[in-house]
Amino acid sequence: MRFPVVRAANRLLISGAAIIAAGCVSSDTPQQPDALGPLTLMSDVSAVSCPDGVPFVLPERIGLTATTHSWTDDPAEDVSSYYAPLAPVALYELHSDDPRFGGLSGMDFLDDDTLIIVSDDGSLIWIDVTGDTLQPADHAYMTSLRGADGQPLDGKTYADSEGVAWNGETLFISFERGHRVLGYDIEGCGANARGALVTDFWSGDFGEIGTVDENQGMEALAIRDTGELVIGVEARQLDGAPIGVFNSNEGSVSQRLAAPELTLLVGADYVGGNTDRLYSLFRSYDPIRGNRIAIGVSTVTEDGTIGEMERLAMIGSDVTVDNFEGIAVQPVSPTTDRIVIVSDDNFSARQKTLLMVLDYTHSE
């Protein structure tokens, strides 16, 4: 397993007062339990997540099989025009004999060769990948996410982890039901890292968009090079998918992405550069059309304004598709980004855990 090398990065300082104000929690809505711990500045996550005296523990190694999967029912079919302007690179079906493996929902790159993934039952998974096609290794590492008390998160309300963002020093994970973002010092304590509460919308009240359903919360999470969190909510509004940049002492999901064809926002990743790019992942399902998955990209200005989204793909039943929820993006050249998406099999034998790799060539 490749643990990432610590890199210098700016960290976002979020005050408890600002987050509570953004959430507008009323006295008659559920309050955040004491068991989650107090709100923590993002600059202080390491001290809370990996306190003195807590040893580093290596996550448990599990077996993993990655089988190349065809893009359509006909393995010989050329699908390049279907995905354009994206270029299909590889498609894998993942399987493990460990019954805890599944439900993959959020993903990011720890480094060029390691994906970090959460499942929606509160597990954290490391997968090494190699080569130009990001071939997964024959094993993975896995652990249960822990709360501020050092105990594994228990129950769907606490453990419904959905989004992942890595800034080179701290892993941030967003949750539904108990709507919040926790920070983890996985380099310092590994599987022993405790969740430090950095963003709290436990009540489900997101301010101007009101109270969201327990299963339509903070699915999308990314982080800017400046250290600001980008948080997207699955609950769709009439004017699009709510998303926002949380900086310094303020933040709200006041911006919108134009969700294609009534899809819901489920994932995001951020690539900095001469032009900052926010990639977004959307999904929908109905019994007639089945799963439909959209990928988009938006430019982001220095002040955090998210520009108009360009739709890059709408993946439907004409090709191999499943319940894709997680997205991670890696620049491989000044003009090419590698997009990886992963599907949530809902721990169901009727669904698959798929890892899809696509390339996107853009202007420099």
Side-chain angles (χ1 to χ4, degrees):
M1 175 178 58
R2 298 180 180 92
F3 277 106
V5 177
V6 174
R7 299 186 295 272
N10 294 325
R11 297 185 181 184
L12 172 62
L13 303 179
I14 299 180
S15 73
I19 296 302
I20 292 172
C24 299
V25 178
S26 64
S27 59
D28 58 352
T29 54
Q31 298 299 304
Q32 172 250 313
D34 293 339
L36 296 181
L39 279 166
T40 302
L41 297 177
M42 289 176 72
S43 57
D44 295 337
V45 164
S46 181
V48 175
S49 179
C50 188
D52 292 342
V54 175
F56 178 93
V57 172
L58 191 69
E60 179 184 352
R61 178 173 168 140
I62 63 171
L64 183 69
T65 301
T67 305
T68 301
H69 200 289
S70 61
W71 294 88
T72 68
D73 292 337
D74 179 3
E77 183 176 354
D78 182 1
V79 296
S80 56
S81 61
Y82 182 90
Y83 286 95
L86 303 181
V89 174
L91 179 62
Y92 303 102
E93 181 176 353
L94 305 183
H95 175 76
S96 176
D97 290 335
D98 193 307
R100 297 171 299 169
F101 184 85
L104 308 188
S105 56
M107 177 172 61
D108 204 354
F109 281 98
L110 284 178
D111 56 30
D112 292 343
D113 306 308
T114 311
L115 290 168
I116 189 80
I117 307 174
V118 291
S119 73
D120 55 17
D121 70 347
S123 295
L124 185 63
I125 302 162
W126 290 253
I127 299 178
D128 286 342
V129 292
T130 59
D132 292 338
T133 63
L134 301 185
Q135 170 73 43
D138 62 0
H139 62 276
Y141 288 84
M142 190 171 189
T143 190
S144 295
L145 291 170
R146 298 178 182 272
D149 57 1
Q151 298 302 308
L153 297 174
D154 185 30
K156 198 66 173 174
T157 298
Y158 288 89
D160 193 357
S161 46
E162 297 290 349
V164 175
W166 169 251
N167 72 352
E169 297 181 352
T170 303
L171 186 70
F172 296 97
I173 299 176
S174 62
F175 294 78
E176 287 187 324
R177 302 181 194 271
H179 307 283
R180 66 205 190 278
V181 176
L182 302 182
Y184 288 86
D185 181 2
I186 58 171
E187 286 202 319
C189 281
N192 243 356
R194 306 173 179 208
L197 182 67
V198 297
T199 303
D200 176 20
F201 286 106
W202 180 268
S203 69
D205 189 337
F206 282 80
E208 67 174 47
I209 67 170
T211 300
V212 304
D213 182 81
E214 64 175 12
N215 198 33
Q216 290 193 331
M218 294 187 283
E219 288 260 358
L221 186 68
I223 195 162
R224 303 182 70 195
D225 291 349
T226 56
E228 298 162 311
L229 287 174
V230 181
I231 296 174
V233 177
E234 187 178 11
R236 181 186 172 93
Q237 304 294 294
L238 291 177
D239 54 352
I243 195 166
V245 175
F246 286 71
N247 59 27
S248 189
N249 294 321
E250 58 183 25
S252 67
V253 285
S254 58
Q255 301 191 59
R256 297 289 184 271
L257 292 175
E261 300 181 23
L262 300 180
T263 54
L264 301 175
L265 177 62
V266 292
D269 202 7
Y270 198 95
V271 177
N274 292 334
T275 301
D276 286 6
R277 300 177 295 284
L278 175 68
Y279 287 87
S280 47
L281 182 68
F282 302 81
R283 69 164 181 195
S284 69
Y285 174 82
D286 65 68
I288 297 175
R289 292 176 293 183
N291 284 299
R292 292 183 302 140
I293 306 297
I295 302 173
V297 64
S298 311
T299 59
V300 184
T301 63
E302 186 176 351
D303 68 358
T305 300
I306 300 170
E308 183 177 354
M309 191 188 77
E310 175 187 358
R311 190 173 84 178
L312 300 178
M314 176 63 82
I315 306 169
S317 57
D318 293 336
V319 295
T320 299
V321 68
D322 213 296
N323 181 34
F324 286 96
E325 286 198 14
I327 182 170
V329 184
Q330 177 188 65
V332 294
S333 81
T335 58
T336 301
D337 291 338
R338 181 148 293 170
I339 302 169
V340 185
I341 58 176
V342 69
S343 67
D344 175 0
D345 68 353
N346 291 304
F347 296 96
S348 169
R350 297 190 301 272
Q351 295 178 256
K352 296 180 174 66
T353 299
L354 298 176
L355 190 75
M356 182 181 291
V357 186
L358 305 155
D359 278 353
Y360 172 54
T361 300
H362 55 87
S363 59
E364 188 170 359

